């Protein structure tokens, strides 16, 4: 029965891989993270990661689950199954990092994005994106669960920057040793609006020591 849950799922830019142990217990692994301890079975399609305080639900009709739903601290994020034939992502690489945000159109938009995302005001991020990203089409509150899940981001460093693009490495506040790469593209003139925004989970950089528990 558990075989239908095994596979790779996209969850807000991070790949979650569900697998089985030798004694047929379900585990999950986020991009760049170790495999979790075996999950506790709660129901037919519901599992608990007690160490992380997370509940996982596998959903969808047919021989394979098509969605994964993660519930953490009262918030939910839903991900979709990736094709079993999809090629694996190449190993992440890391560029030398700058410690300050450059004063460029893309840099200013990145700073605004980060401040809005980390705000305690639940409406701040939606308001910022509607104003600064004309192509933004997410429904109101769509990113709120993600914000509550990761607890916000801390800037680790800027990996590359130009007038119209910035790529930055971020650390999640709620999850030890969890990182993401944010790319912001913006019009290159002063006051330029955002033209693209992508966030993707990455493994811990090799030059940063793991956080001691």
């Amino acid at each position: 029965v558990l075989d239908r849950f095994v596979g790779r799922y996209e969850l807000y830019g991070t790949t979650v891989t569900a697998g089985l142990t030798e004694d047929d217990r379900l585990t999950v692994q986020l991009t760049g993270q170790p495999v979790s301890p075996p999950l506790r079975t709660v129901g037919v399609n519901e599992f608990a990661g007690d160490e992380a305080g997370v509940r996982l639900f596998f959903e969808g009709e047919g021989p394979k689950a098509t969605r994964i739903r993660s519930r953490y601290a009262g918030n939910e994020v839903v991900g979709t199954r990736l094709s079993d034939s999809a090629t694996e992502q190449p190993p992440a690489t890391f560029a030398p990092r700058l410690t300050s945000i450059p004063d460029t159109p893309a840099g200013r938009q990145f700073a605004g994005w980060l401040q809005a995302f980390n705000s305690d005001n639940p409406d701040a991020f939606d308001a910022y994106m509607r104003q600064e990203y004309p192509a933004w089409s997410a429904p109101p509150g769509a990113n709120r669960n993600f914000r509550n899940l990761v607890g916000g981001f801390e800037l680790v460093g800027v990996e590359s920057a130009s007038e119209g693009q910035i790529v930055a490495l971020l650390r999640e506040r709620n999850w030890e040793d969890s990182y993401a790469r944010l790319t912001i593209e913006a019009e290159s003139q002063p006051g330029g609006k955002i033209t693209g925004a992508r966030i993707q989970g990455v493994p811990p950089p090799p030059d940063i020591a793991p956080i001691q528990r």
Side-chain angles (χ1 to χ4, degrees):
V1 175
L2 296 180
D3 284 343
R4 71 181 303 265
F5 306 139
V6 171
R8 297 165 59 241
Y9 302 81
E10 163 114 33
L11 193 67
Y12 265 96
T14 295
T15 299
V16 178
T17 302
L20 293 176
T21 63
E22 292 183 356
D23 56 351
D24 288 331
R25 291 189 291 172
L26 198 66
T27 63
V28 291
Q29 182 179 20
L30 276 66
T31 300
Q33 302 299 310
V35 176
S36 74
L39 303 176
R40 177 170 57 87
T41 301
V42 179
V44 175
N45 68 330
E46 179 181 353
F47 302 85
D50 293 320
E51 290 189 7
V54 65
R55 288 287 180 100
L56 297 174
F57 304 81
F58 293 85
E59 303 172 338
E61 303 297 330
K64 296 286 188 180
T66 57
R67 296 184 302 278
I68 186 171
R69 181 159 49 95
S70 171
R71 180 183 296 165
Y72 174 80
N75 300 284
E76 291 189 346
V77 180
V78 177
T80 56
R81 176 184 283 273
L82 296 170
S83 171
D84 290 337
S85 62
T87 57
E88 295 289 337
Q89 294 294 321
T93 58
F94 297 91
R97 296 183 294 272
L98 304 174
T99 57
S100 59
I101 301 171
D103 186 20
T104 62
R108 289 189 288 273
Q109 287 291 8
F110 166 77
W113 186 101
L114 188 61
Q115 181 179 16
F117 187 86
N118 286 343
S119 173
D120 291 331
N121 178 352
D123 299 319
F125 186 74
D126 281 343
Y128 183 83
M129 295 300 276
R130 283 195 300 270
Q131 177 178 327
E132 297 298 331
Y133 191 2
W136 178 251
S137 60
N143 281 271
R144 195 169 301 158
N145 286 345
F146 182 48
R147 160 64 172 83
N148 292 334
L149 179 69
V150 303
F153 287 112
E154 297 175 356
L155 175 64
V156 177
V158 175
E159 294 185 311
S160 69
S162 64
E163 292 293 308
Q165 185 186 76
I166 184 169
V167 180
L169 185 66
L170 306 174
R171 179 190 288 116
E172 297 178 13
R173 289 176 172 171
N174 277 354
W175 299 87
E176 293 180 349
D177 300 322
S178 291
Y179 295 82
R181 177 173 286 135
L182 175 64
T183 302
I184 294 285
E185 296 167 345
E187 298 167 336
S188 57
Q189 69 269 24
K193 301 291 187 180
I194 295 174
T195 58
R198 301 183 301 278
I199 190 164
Q200 181 179 18
V202 295
D207 62 321
I208 297 180
I211 296 174
Q212 298 298 318
R213 293 176 174 84

